[in-house]
Amino acid sequence: MNLKPCPYRQVDDEGHILCDKIKTGEREVTPNICRACPVAAINCAHLRGTLDHQARPPITVRWGNGKSTVLEDAAPTIALGRAACAAKVIPIHSPRDCAGCALRQPLPEVIAPTRTTNERRTRATAPVAPSPIAPAAPPPVAPTEIARQNVVAQKIIQLQEWLAHQKQNPPRPDEEKQVAPIVLAAPRARVKEERRAGWTD
């Protein structure tokens, strides 16, 4: 078929080839109609408009000898319904109006996969999840609290440095300080006082 990619052509769940640019008439298209499409002939991202597709049913001719012939209109009946150029802001009536335009910007050849009809319906009826609430900003810290935190952090760093120095340089047994023995003083003896009953001086 040798069709160029088109961002407006898609396939539904039933296998019908549909055109999003067709707003009047039958949306289902065939390769012959796509080859005669004026949007594909212009091939510019600045083109804005709609297509008009009038499907002509085939004509059956019955001859007197009993034979019948089906006459189909080979010429596609698709045309621009209403179109304009977004860059020049002028109306466009046919591909001749865009011939030799220096502002032409070709349509993208890489097409993102389009959602099918059922996916679009599911997306439309699906409940909308609430947007996540941003976490509240922390309360401001007083300058005195910041100064206290700095002092605590400095002490922690000093303690870590001291522990690291102790691990690298453990004290030797001969360098340990001799601790004088602790002598406990003997408790004082209580002098018993004699109490004499009945004696007077």
Side-chain angles (χ1 to χ4, degrees), residues 19-134:
C19 178
D20 289 339
K21 279 291 183 179
I22 297 176
K23 303 301 180 183
T24 305
E26 182 64 33
R27 288 187 60 206
E28 186 174 359
V29 294
T30 62
N32 290 333
I33 294 175
C34 288
R35 288 190 187 96
C37 177
V39 173
I42 294 172
N43 190 22
C44 181
H46 297 143
L47 180 66
R48 305 289 187 271
T50 59
L51 291 173
D52 181 13
H53 178 210
Q54 297 298 330
R56 296 181 182 178
I59 300 174
T60 304
V61 179
R62 300 184 186 278
W63 304 96
N65 56 5
K67 294 182 179 180
S68 61
T69 305
V70 179
L71 301 178
E72 295 183 3
D73 190 0
T77 57
I78 187 166
L80 288 173
R82 177 179 294 176
C85 177
K88 293 183 178 181
V89 196
I90 58 173
I92 303 297
H93 301 288
S94 68
R96 290 192 300 266
D97 297 340
C98 297
C101 179
L103 300 178
R104 177 174 294 181
Q105 182 179 353
L107 293 172
E109 294 185 1
V110 179
I111 304 171
T114 58
R115 296 189 300 272
T116 60
T117 307
N118 290 339
E119 290 176 354
R120 288 196 298 270
R121 290 175 183 170
T122 304
R123 187 178 179 88
T125 58
V128 179
S131 59
I133 301 173

Side-chain angles (χ1 to χ4, degrees), residues 5 9 14 39 66 120 158 179 186:
R9 186 171 57 237
E14 288 77 19
V39 173
R120 288 196 298 270
Q158 292 175 359
V179 181

Side-chain angles (χ1 to χ4, degrees), residues 116-175:
T116 60
T117 307
N118 290 339
E119 290 176 354
R120 288 196 298 270
R121 290 175 183 170
T122 304
R123 187 178 179 88
T125 58
V128 179
S131 59
I133 301 173
V141 183
T144 55
E145 182 66 19
I146 295 175
R148 189 184 70 79
Q149 292 176 358
N150 291 340
V151 171
V152 172
Q154 291 176 359
K155 290 183 178 180
I156 292 174
I157 293 173
Q158 292 175 359
L159 182 59
Q160 290 175 347
E161 291 176 353
W162 181 81
L163 289 174
H165 179 72
Q166 291 295 329
K167 288 182 180 180
Q168 293 177 357
N169 302 320
R172 296 178 183 176
D174 55 351
E175 294 180 356

